[in-house]
Amino acid sequence: MSQTTFPAGFLWGVATSAQQIEGGRHEGGRGESIWDRFATVPGKIADGTRPDVSCDHYHLWRKDIELMKGLGLGAYRFSISWPRIFPTGRGPANSAGLDFYEALVDGLLEAGLEPFPTLYHWDLPQALQDGGGWASRDTAMAFVEYSLAVTRRLGDRVRRWTTHNEPWCAATLGYEEGHHAPGHLDPAEGLRAAHHLLLSHGWAAAAIRRQDPAAEVGIVLIHSPAHAATDSPADRDAARWFDGFFNRWYLDPIFRGAYPADAVADRVARGQLPGPELPFVRDGDLAAISTPLDFVGVNYYSRVVMKAGPDGLPVAVPPLPPQTFTDMGWEVYPDGLRETLVRIHRDYAPRRMYIAENGAAYDDPAGPDGRIRDTRRIGYLHGHLLAARSAIAEGAPLAGYFLWSLLDNFEWGFGFTKKFGIFAVDPQDGRRLPKDSAHWYRDVVTANAVTGTPTASSQGESRAFDA
Ligand code: FCB
């Protein structure tokens, strides 16, 4: 059977985030996050659920480490809950919160897994939101204090730190489009939030390195290639607009020390900025934001196809059959991952890259035999891994892949309705049940290779993962 092999030492992992899996809402002195608060607002979470218990990883983390060990993984990307460490945002760090992550990190190391933590995956302490949240520059300073408290405690065991996960989502979905916490609808506030997220990244990266010169620091960005629906200049400009709004607004300041002029002009034209001078940028900010990084993490799920709408404004074209979609309505488009990695490599030349998230939501119920045959997920992963391998062949310095996600979990505004896990979670007792994709992924990891056909070769061994 044909095999596509990955380079020796390629790092295989899975990714999760604290707010989505931990639960333990009131335990260990944890404070309230903006998502805890947002989830109490009627209508904000599709199924009306709250992330109070979620996958109960706060209690079941030892079992989850066993699952990952069973998969043969080299690393685990997780996030640290800021309100566990600073329940009210500022003041003394909560040592019970640090103890929790210390035990997790020690458990991972004992199991031979590299801990690959992200400091911010959207769960801002509500107390900081009450002071303005990311729209306030003070939050960037609080983030540095928080980062140092965590890295001081864990820095002797954690080598690589990620500051932020997808600042576009935190800023735009949270402050401009209202889909995410804190649910605001103010474009100007969204741009300020984006700047303070980036600034806090740069400040924290420098502070972490000052504290520990051996630490490696990076950031994780979401990326979608923007394709024009037709070759018309108007449609091509719509694709340029999306690329500036979504991709380059973050890549350019981080790698080039400047916001993209065309995307700034777009915001000015929409009345969302007073002029080309950004009022929230102070001297030295862009130098701080563009501090050189050890790696960039890329999250890829799909592409977008753009066209000029009837009023000339850019709109996304819903993908049409025969393309297939995941339950998120996202087109399955593996070549976009190759394109993304090659583009970032060519245009921004990061030292090293990781695919920090990639995966698919499909709801496949267990069959009468209890087995979950998630063949569509396996197909999605198979295609994307081949695309990642092609990007390496084209020169992208890709060093690892983190599958989103280990467990079905709290998918933000969708609650528990979108299932990304390679393990299902029993809502009654929290039991983890491997899907066929878990077996398939274990085979990939073990072989450091993808085989010719996307089938699970170790079917029917569902008990193998039971911790
Ligand atoms: C990414 C997020 C992650 C999860 C996946 C599906 O944008 O980083 O938390 O929601 O999408």
Side-chain angles (χ1 to χ4, degrees):
M1 200 187 298
S2 76
Q3 274 213 334
T4 304
T5 303
F6 281 75
F10 193 77
L11 194 60
W12 295 100
V14 290
T16 66
S17 87
Q19 184 81 60
Q20 293 177 275
I21 66 164
E22 278 183 6
R25 157 76 179 88
H26 297 285
E27 292 179 64
R30 181 184 179 280
E32 184 186 26
S33 78
I34 53 174
W35 273 94
D36 299 326
R37 177 71 64 90
F38 191 64
T40 66
V41 181
K44 294 298 183 193
I45 310 296
D47 56 1
T49 52
R50 296 187 186 177
D52 292 8
V53 177
S54 195
C55 306
D56 201 21
H57 172 79
Y58 187 70
H59 297 109
L60 300 178
W61 59 270
R62 287 185 190 81
K63 288 190 177 196
D64 292 335
I65 291 179
E66 284 303 310
L67 300 183
M68 291 187 273
K69 198 175 165 187
L71 291 168
L73 301 180
Y76 174 41
R77 175 173 180 246
F78 60 101
S79 80
I80 292 177
S81 159
W82 189 345
R84 262 192 209 296
I85 311 299
F86 286 97
T88 54
R90 300 303 259 276
N94 170 34
S95 56
L98 289 166
D99 293 346
F100 172 71
Y101 293 106
E102 185 164 65
L104 177 69
V105 162
D106 286 345
L108 288 165
L109 291 171
E110 269 164 40
L113 287 137
E114 178 186 342
F116 204 111
T118 298
L119 289 160
Y120 187 69
H121 200 129
W122 310 349
D123 45 0
L124 186 73
Q126 179 62 40
L128 292 179
Q129 183 55 47
D130 295 341
W134 287 109
S136 158
R137 215 174 151 93
D138 287 348
T139 299
M141 297 178 60
F143 180 73
V144 178
E145 290 164 24
Y146 156 62
S147 300
L148 287 177
V150 174
T151 54
R152 207 175 289 130
R153 175 73 86 93
L154 301 177
D156 58 341
R157 280 155 281 183
V158 171
R159 195 164 109 226
R160 288 181 257 243
W161 293 98
T162 296
T163 53
H164 286 285
N165 178 72
E166 299 185 358
W168 180 86
C169 291
T172 304
L173 297 179
Y175 291 86
E176 177 168 1
E177 297 183 355
H179 303 300
H180 277 194
H184 296 184
L185 288 162
D186 181 345
E189 200 188 20
L191 292 172
R192 272 205 314 281
H195 184 67
H196 296 143
L197 282 152
L198 284 166
L199 187 60
S200 74
H201 154 75
W203 282 348
I208 293 168
R209 285 177 175 147
R210 264 197 306 276
Q211 187 173 266
D212 176 7
E216 291 189 13
V217 187
I219 190 168
V220 167
L221 303 174
I222 177 91
H223 194 99
S224 288
H227 293 167
T230 74
D231 243 359
S232 77
D235 287 356
R236 292 207 336 242
D237 193 59
R240 177 207 59 76
W241 172 84
F242 184 87
D243 187 46
F245 162 77
F246 192 79
N247 299 321
R248 289 183 288 115
W249 197 268
Y250 296 88
L251 284 163
D252 279 25
I254 290 168
F255 288 99
R256 298 180 177 165
Y259 283 99
D262 63 313
V264 171
D266 292 335
R267 290 288 195 169
V268 174
R270 290 182 174 207
Q272 295 165 350
L273 282 173
E277 292 305 316
L278 306 186
F280 40 75
V281 177
R282 298 198 192 154
D283 280 355
D285 283 6
L286 284 154
I289 292 169
S290 56
T291 185
L293 295 180
D294 297 292
F295 63 88
V296 66
V298 179
N299 292 354
Y300 175 82
Y301 289 93
S302 192
R303 67 164 172 174
V304 292
V305 178
M306 298 295 301
K307 72 177 174 70
D311 53 4
L313 289 176
V315 288
V317 186
L320 293 171
Q323 289 92 328
T324 48
F325 314 92
T326 69
D327 285 357
M328 299 298 282
W330 297 341
E331 180 189 359
V332 178
Y333 189 74
D335 191 57
L337 176 57
R338 183 201 58 77
E339 182 182 335
T340 289
L341 295 167
V342 170
R343 186 266 175 105
I344 295 175
H345 165 55
R346 185 194 61 209
D347 291 354
Y348 299 97
R351 288 181 195 158
R352 202 181 325 123
M353 305 169 88
Y354 295 95
I355 296 167
E357 285 179 28
N358 175 244
Y362 291 114
D363 191 359
D364 294 303
D369 55 357
R371 197 171 130 195
I372 299 176
R373 294 168 172 80
D374 56 339
T375 47
R376 292 172 298 174
R377 177 173 294 100
I378 293 174
Y380 179 99
L381 297 170
H382 180 262
H384 285 76
L385 286 176
L386 292 178
R389 186 64 188 83
S390 301
I392 297 174
E394 289 184 48
L398 182 68
Y401 176 90
F402 293 86
L403 191 160
W404 186 272
S405 184
L406 179 67
L407 307 170
D408 289 342
N409 61 44
F410 178 75
E411 179 51 35
W412 309 112
F414 297 95
F416 293 92
T417 65
K418 304 295 180 201
K419 300 181 185 305
F420 278 90
I422 56 174
F423 287 83
V425 177
D426 187 314
Q428 305 308 320
D429 59 10
R431 213 173 141 256
R432 279 68 165 132
L433 184 71
K435 306 181 186 179
D436 278 3
S437 55
H439 297 289
W440 176 86
Y441 192 46
R442 180 179 58 187
D443 292 344
V444 168
V445 171
T446 309
N448 194 37
V450 181
T451 51
T453 44
T455 49
S457 59
S458 319
Q459 294 163 354
E461 290 179 31
S462 59
R463 278 174 308 138
F465 288 105
D466 279 353

